[in-house]
Amino acid sequence: MAVRITSPAFKANARQALADAPLQTSMRNLEVNFIGRRRAAAERLPEFEALRDAARDIKDHTLAHLDLYLTAFEDKVVQAGGHVHWAATAEDARTIVLDICKRLGARTVTKGKSMISEEIALNEHLEQNGVTPVETDLGEYIIQLRGEMPSHIIAPAVHLTREQVEGDFRRAHTHLPKDRNLDEAATMLAEARGVLRGRFLAADVGITGANFLIAETGTSVIVTNEGNGDLTQTLPKAHIVLASIEKVVPTLEDATTLLRVLARSATGQEQAVYTTFSTGPRRAADPDGPGEYHVVLLDNGRSRMLGTPFQPMLRCIRCGACFNHCPVYQRVGGHAYGWVYGGPMGAVLTPTLIGIHQAGHLPNASTFCGRCEDVCPMRIPLPKMMRHWRERQFEKSQMPLAERYALDAWAYFARRGWLYRPASRLGVAALRLLAFGRGRLRWLPFAGGWTSQRDLPAPAGTTFQAAWKQHVKARRRAAR
Amino acid sequence: MNSQTPARPRVGLFVTCLVDLMRPKIGFAAAKLLEDAGCTVEVPSQTCCGQPAFNAGDRATARDLARQVIEAFEPYDYVVVPSGSCAGMMKTHYVELFDDPEEQARAGRFSARTFELTSFLVDVLKVERINAIYEGTVTYHDGCAGLRELGIKDQPRKLLGHVVGLTLAEMADTEACCGFGGAFSVKYPEISAAIADRKTANIGATGAPMVVAGDLGCLMHIAGRMQREGRPVQARHVAEMLAGMGHEPAIGEPDRS
């Protein structure tokens, strides 16, 4: 039932991505736009660094008392006339959502952007059971037309060029004039809006994710730039909020602190265009709003992370800054990671959700440049946690054998200085000979990974330590 | 000079395994810079800082190598490393390797005395003068670990500014990774090269005929990729430039001996 996982084929996925010219063009745009915008937004706010600390502390506190705040949240939702459903697994969550849809006789479900719904493969489940899901976030709508997964947590279709999207719209929107002009993003956006308008009105149930859940008031919060979330949650008979358990925060004020770092980190905006707080279903005096309000709280492995070195990952507020700044993500895009979550946060989270045996490449495919941690608004130590995964792989002997042998052989010498020094002298002398005086080597035995892509400078033929000994001796002689 | 700095500080030079094996002249350049700045330099017996094991998930080996390094460098006032990456390992990660409070404290004392070369010259020795002349333009690549683990950004630029005749041309997004990443460059060579290509394009766009950095790993990777692609840009370690070795053969060029 689950979406196909291609994480084990990361290397092949990456190779394909590197050869994909439109993808490379799109990813270059992401890099150029998002890095500068985030930096400018951070520079405009003198207290940005202090806010990051405050945001981290809020989440750390919440995670330390997660049961308390979730229970408080549930109580408040119930008081407001809503329902809370606890879903331990993806399957539980799918079943809960489908049951609500069936009870209401729903044919069409509109959806605001929700990574959780991708995680539990909700669309496939609804379709198989006669309910049509319609994605209303422009990016999600585009990838739904293409039958793809998002390639980025806040910009799902960032891997596509304008030309590709134009092709998709011409293919899907056959009721519109063939000769219409789709040369600009704005025209395409208007077209999508027109198409989606009817869907919003026809929907029986609206499903959104949640950026935050507020324990103090039983409120769910979503941020969007398109207003599609508001239409999704207010027009239909029922609003279902799909959220994972770590989205809860204690108070309204805490939520606003987090909101202040979220958009700045994500898109470089001070705030997203729409920030919507929903508390319960429509009240008697309300002119509009959903008749039913449900929150599905998904665990799906997250509570297992509490109390482990991976707990800080649960601070993540899904801003995508780590994607935008990751040199690996910038080159290979999100689909290469092979499942819902890509980039550095995916490299840590994905193994906890689908198992390190399937996601083993992800924490390894990092240069450990540290830029992800540098820009993470929640100061999640992403490289450190990727290293934790590598440690587990090492302990369980899940490393590729060639790598393991190379590491063991190197460690054998590195631990024995008396052996290392003559061996390294011999090694560099041999390499020097192999270079035939050319200054560099184009091919090497046992290091094909290096020379497949770049030359190797020829070593000087002796080690520094040997040369230094000679230098010290010569100096002493001269001093005598 | 800082008031806590001994009159003639005794510095243990940790050359890094790459410098030891691949480009000893960086070690000599570092020693010269330290001696010119009034230090006594010694090179205790060493192998590797343990970073390859640490990043491969082999904590036990990393811990053993850390013990080895700490022990060898205990007699010195300072430990100086011509690499942001190895210095980052020694300064920020050694403490994390030990569970025993006594060993942790020992690692902490070691880390407090350990510095990357340009940071030591500028932040500790307060060096204001460099005896080097180089007529030409260079661009500086910020190695990731030095930049993010140690906050090294201004120090090398300040020192390069003292080199008579040298002009620094900053490249676009100089804080972006070059794609080396140690074992990453061998495990994921195509991605590594694709990352390097953005870096080499940014280097090329400055028009500078030379790229300088504080890490031989980045430099071997950048130079090797540029040479494979036939881009005529030279690569040198910042210590070489500061020690007046800017005219000696660049990384990957045949030496004249």
Side-chain angles (χ1 to χ4, degrees):
Chain A
M1 163 75 238
V3 174
R4 200 166 72 90
I5 295 169
T6 68
S7 306
F10 174 81
K11 273 193 172 183
N13 295 349
R15 203 165 294 140
Q16 203 180 338
L18 290 170
D20 181 338
L23 175 77
Q24 292 300 320
T25 308
S26 308
M27 298 311 286
R28 182 77 183 127
N29 291 335
L30 167 103
E31 193 183 331
V32 168
N33 292 326
F34 282 67
I35 291 179
R37 283 184 201 159
R38 179 205 167 269
R39 178 175 293 146
E43 281 168 1
R44 278 196 305 271
L45 187 71
E47 69 269 35
F48 188 62
E49 294 306 312
L51 266 186
R52 288 173 67 184
D53 289 339
R56 175 200 54 206
D57 294 347
I58 288 168
K59 273 285 176 132
D60 277 348
H61 167 82
T62 315
L63 292 170
H65 308 281
L66 192 59
D67 49 348
L68 179 84
Y69 287 115
L70 285 171
T71 317
F73 172 76
E74 181 181 28
D75 289 347
K76 290 290 177 182
V77 171
V78 172
Q79 275 174 35
H83 305 270
V84 172
H85 310 263
W86 299 81
T89 64
E91 196 188 342
D92 292 346
R94 287 192 296 261
T95 307
I96 292 163
V97 173
L98 183 65
D99 285 352
I100 297 170
C101 293
K102 276 188 177 159
R103 183 170 50 76
L104 294 170
R107 307 282 302 262
T108 305
V109 168
T110 42
K111 293 178 67 208
K113 202 167 120 41
S114 161
M115 290 307 288
I116 298 295
S117 99
E118 304 285 347
E119 180 182 325
I120 66 174
L122 182 64
N123 285 5
E124 291 81 348
H125 188 67
L126 292 175
E127 274 164 19
Q128 282 166 12
N129 289 279
V131 180
T132 306
V134 181
E135 294 291 347
T136 64
D137 171 272
L138 178 62
E140 287 272 343
Y141 175 69
I142 293 165
I143 61 164
Q144 189 181 25
L145 289 182
R146 297 173 64 91
E148 291 180 1
M149 289 218 281
S151 73
H152 187 293
I153 52 176
I154 63 151
V158 73
H159 57 290
L160 301 172
T161 60
R162 195 197 56 75
E163 289 76 13
Q164 286 172 309
V165 178
E166 180 181 343
D168 295 329
F169 278 18
R170 291 198 186 281
R171 193 167 36 75
H173 304 155
T174 47
H175 62 289
L176 295 170
K178 281 205 163 53
D179 60 349
R180 68 194 188 279
N181 189 341
L182 284 177
D183 285 351
E184 279 175 48
T187 343
M188 287 196 279
L189 178 64
E191 177 166 319
R193 278 208 173 128
V195 172
L196 285 170
R197 181 85 14 164
R199 306 292 177 86
F200 279 123
L201 295 169
D204 308 294
V205 170
I207 299 176
T208 67
N211 290 90
F212 305 106
L213 303 172
I214 302 169
E216 181 182 35
T217 53
T219 302
S220 59
V221 185
I222 57 165
V223 297
T224 68
N225 276 320
E226 299 163 26
N228 61 307
D230 291 15
L231 294 172
T232 301
Q233 66 184 34
T234 50
L235 293 177
K237 284 182 273 196
H239 175 202
I240 303 177
V241 179
L242 263 179
S244 46
I245 51 173
E246 79 277 16
K247 296 281 177 163
V248 72
V249 296
T251 65
L252 275 165
E253 194 176 337
D254 292 331
T256 55
T257 302
L258 294 167
L259 282 166
R260 292 185 74 197
V261 295
L262 175 63
R264 286 182 170 88
S265 304
T267 49
Q269 293 166 290
E270 322 226 307
Q271 284 279 302
V273 178
Y274 298 87
T275 302
T276 310
F277 294 70
S278 302
T279 314
R282 170 170 51 185
R283 290 160 301 187
D286 290 344
D288 50 26
E292 292 184 17
Y293 175 81
H294 299 267
V295 182
V296 181
L297 284 175
L298 178 72
D299 184 333
N300 208 22
R302 287 166 176 81
S303 58
R304 281 202 310 266
M305 295 162 72
L306 292 167
T308 73
F310 297 108
Q311 179 169 318
M313 192 61 230
L314 296 173
R315 295 204 294 257
C316 177
I317 55 171
R318 308 289 190 268
C319 70
C322 61
F323 287 60
N324 303 338
H325 292 77
C326 174
V328 176
Y329 176 83
Q330 287 166 359
R331 299 309 176 283
V332 304
H335 288 161
Y337 291 81
W339 196 57
V340 182
Y341 303 104
M345 60 76 71
V348 177
L349 186 61
T350 302
T352 66
L353 299 180
I354 66 171
I356 189 67
H357 60 287
Q358 289 211 83
H361 273 296
L362 310 191
N364 284 286
S366 163
T367 65
F368 276 168
C369 77
R371 207 171 190 180
C372 50
E373 181 176 353
D374 215 28
V375 298
C376 173
M378 306 306 291
R379 302 199 191 281
I380 299 172
L382 292 157
K384 185 177 183 175
M385 287 191 288
M386 286 181 229
R387 201 181 285 114
H388 279 315
W389 277 124
R390 297 185 189 185
E391 281 163 10
R392 295 196 179 188
Q393 287 176 307
F394 181 85
E395 283 158 17
K396 291 185 186 160
S397 299
Q398 286 171 337
M399 244 172 144
L401 271 185
E403 280 171 34
R404 180 67 192 234
Y405 289 150
L407 186 67
D408 285 350
W410 164 83
Y412 183 87
F413 284 99
R415 284 166 189 264
R416 294 167 179 80
W418 54 273
L419 201 57
Y420 174 90
R421 277 179 298 278
S424 57
R425 272 208 311 279
L426 215 63
V428 294
L431 271 182
R432 168 88 176 175
L433 285 177
L434 270 179
F436 297 104
R438 274 194 301 265
R440 53 188 196 258
L441 295 105
R442 294 183 65 87
W443 176 85
L444 264 184
F446 312 118
W450 181 276
T451 47
S452 73
Q453 303 295 325
R454 24 182 147 43
D455 292 353
L456 182 78
T462 184
T463 65
F464 171 78
Q465 293 188 70
W468 180 259
K469 265 194 194 126
Q470 295 302 319
H471 169 77
V472 172
K473 263 190 215 160
R475 226 192 229 180
R476 279 202 197 114
R477 265 200 306 273
R480 251 186 254 141
Chain B
M1 214 176 272
N2 168 328
S3 59
Q4 282 120 37
T5 308
R8 195 166 175 85
R10 210 171 143 221
V11 170
L13 181 63
F14 186 91
V15 282
T16 88
C17 51
L18 278 186
V19 168
D20 184 42
L21 299 175
M22 304 303 291
R23 200 163 170 87
K25 69 169 64 163
I26 297 169
F28 283 103
K32 177 183 185 299
L33 290 167
L34 291 167
E35 285 172 351
D36 286 356
C39 303
T40 303
V41 178
E42 287 178 46
V43 179
S45 177
Q46 51 191 277
T47 63
C48 167
C49 69
Q51 185 174 201
F54 184 57
N55 284 347
D58 180 0
R59 275 177 84 87
T61 299
R63 192 182 301 122
D64 287 351
L65 294 180
R67 275 193 195 115
Q68 209 169 279
V69 173
I70 292 171
E71 171 131 6
F73 284 85
E74 215 131 58
Y76 300 96
D77 298 324
Y78 296 104
V79 184
V80 176
V81 193
S83 155
S85 169
C86 310
M89 174 72 197
M90 295 159 79
K91 213 168 164 59
T92 66
H93 297 303
Y94 272 13
V95 182
E96 300 168 24
L97 287 171
F98 300 103
D99 302 320
D100 175 60
E102 211 160 290
E103 275 199 301
Q104 238 176 33
R106 194 178 174 198
R109 287 193 297 275
F110 169 84
S111 298
R113 290 182 292 115
T114 301
F115 293 90
E116 182 273 342
L117 175 68
T118 62
S119 151
F120 183 68
L121 293 173
V122 173
D123 301 334
V124 180
L125 298 182
K126 318 280 181 201
V127 164
E128 297 282 348
R129 238 181 71 97
I130 287 288
N131 294 317
I133 302 172
Y134 185 84
E135 292 291 339
T137 304
V138 305
T139 187
Y140 186 84
H141 160 69
D142 289 287
C144 295
L147 177 70
R148 302 201 177 87
E149 291 183 340
L150 305 176
I152 292 165
K153 175 96 189 165
D154 297 335
Q155 298 92 326
R157 289 174 171 81
K158 213 177 247 178
L159 294 172
L160 287 169
H162 297 319
V163 176
V164 177
L166 185 145
T167 310
L168 184 66
E170 294 285 356
M171 69 178 92
D173 207 9
T174 175
E175 298 192 357
C177 177
C178 72
F180 170 58
F184 173 82
S185 61
V186 179
K187 288 196 285 184
Y188 300 95
E190 291 98 347
I191 305 174
S192 170
I195 299 172
D197 290 351
R198 194 90 89 239
K199 180 60 66 176
T200 58
N202 287 343
I203 292 169
T206 64
M210 194 198 306
V211 57
V212 175
D215 276 276
L216 181 55
C218 309
L219 286 164
M220 283 170 54
H221 170 66
I222 293 171
R225 184 68 188 164
M226 288 192 298
Q227 282 153 355
R228 177 65 54 94
E229 311 232 289
R231 278 175 189 267
V233 174
Q234 296 188 322
R236 286 189 180 84
H237 193 279
V238 66
E240 298 176 58
M241 295 308 295
L242 299 174
M245 300 178 178
H247 295 286
E248 293 184 20
I251 293 168
E253 285 181 357
D255 48 34
R256 293 158 204 134
S257 62

